[in-house]
Amino acid sequence: MSLALDPAAQDLLFREARTANTFTDEPVSDEQVQAIYDLVKYGPTAFNQSPLRVTLVRSPEARERLVAHMAEGNRPKTATAPLVAILSADNEFHEELPALFPHFPQAKDAFFSERPVREGAAALNAGLQAAYFIIGVRAAGLAAGPMTGFDFAGVQKEFLDDDHTPLMVVNIGKPGEDAWFPRSPRLAYDDVVTTV
């Protein structure tokens, strides 16, 4: 059985897409980021909670502050990418639920009144949205370089607040020279899927 999505789009989003390690200096515009968000905001989350928050790092001063918190091997990539996004989970997402989940506005208090519950839900659902964001970057014809090699507490203190938990840093742009490492193996279908 074939997929409904055009094979070229399948390649763009998955088969040929890779994590970029170098980028050209071609800028990434606010309009491109807006188009990415306007596409991926429709990806599902539980209760439509939509806890992902995106901090775009554009100024040289902010970039320098971020690079200082990156693992050493990630610093050159983050220093030279045209755009860097810090993806975080908003642990106070429940405040938006009456608007985002209007057919059951009581969900805010019925399910998410306790902070530890919100933190777990925010981490899971913002993680889903982070994956959608990466696919959206690819759909825009750009490459993404998502990374978790950084000082999480340092990035939170420097760029966020106590209500936002950093998930990853994503370098974004057109791939540069020698952008790709060799493709790593993937598990086979039978190694992943079990029928009961």
Side-chain angles (χ1 to χ4, degrees):
M1 176 178 174
S2 63
L3 299 173
L5 189 64
D6 177 86
Q10 295 173 37
D11 289 343
L12 176 71
L13 300 179
F14 293 100
R15 290 193 196 98
E16 299 299 325
R18 310 285 287 282
T19 296
N21 294 289
T22 67
F23 298 89
T24 69
D25 59 2
E26 182 178 329
V28 177
S29 70
D30 288 336
E31 291 77 17
Q32 286 172 297
V33 178
Q34 176 79 52
I36 291 165
Y37 176 73
D38 285 343
L39 173 65
V40 304
K41 68 183 179 184
Y42 294 109
T45 58
F47 293 92
N48 197 33
Q49 61 191 244
S50 306
L52 181 72
R53 300 296 178 262
V54 180
T55 303
L56 299 178
V57 180
R58 286 203 180 274
S59 74
E61 298 79 15
R63 180 77 61 106
E64 189 175 320
R65 287 170 25 228
L66 177 59
V67 167
H69 293 289
M70 301 303 295
E72 189 157 334
N74 290 333
R75 288 178 182 171
K77 296 181 271 192
T78 301
T80 58
L83 179 63
V84 182
I86 301 168
L87 305 188
S88 63
D90 181 357
N91 297 306
E92 298 299 311
F93 68 86
H94 68 308
E95 297 295 345
E96 304 292 339
L97 282 183
L100 293 175
F101 206 60
H103 56 283
F104 185 41
Q106 303 90 336
K108 172 188 171 190
D109 298 315
F111 296 106
F112 301 110
S113 61
E114 297 181 14
R115 176 70 180 237
V117 173
R118 290 197 305 275
E119 288 177 352
L124 173 63
N125 288 280
L128 286 171
Q129 289 186 286
Y132 305 148
F133 182 84
I134 292 166
I135 293 170
V137 168
R138 294 171 174 180
L142 301 169
M147 300 172 297
T148 56
F150 61 90
D151 175 2
F152 280 70
V155 167
Q156 182 178 29
K157 183 177 180 182
E158 192 79 41
F159 293 95
L160 306 170
D161 58 30
D162 290 341
D163 290 333
H164 294 80
T165 303
L167 300 172
M168 65 183 68
V169 170
V170 183
N171 298 324
I172 302 169
K174 293 283 188 181
E177 189 174 338
D178 298 321
W180 320 119
F181 293 146
R183 166 101 50 207
S184 296
R186 298 297 192 266
L187 294 172
Y189 176 86
D190 292 338
D191 296 329
V192 175
V193 178
T194 303
T195 303
V196 295

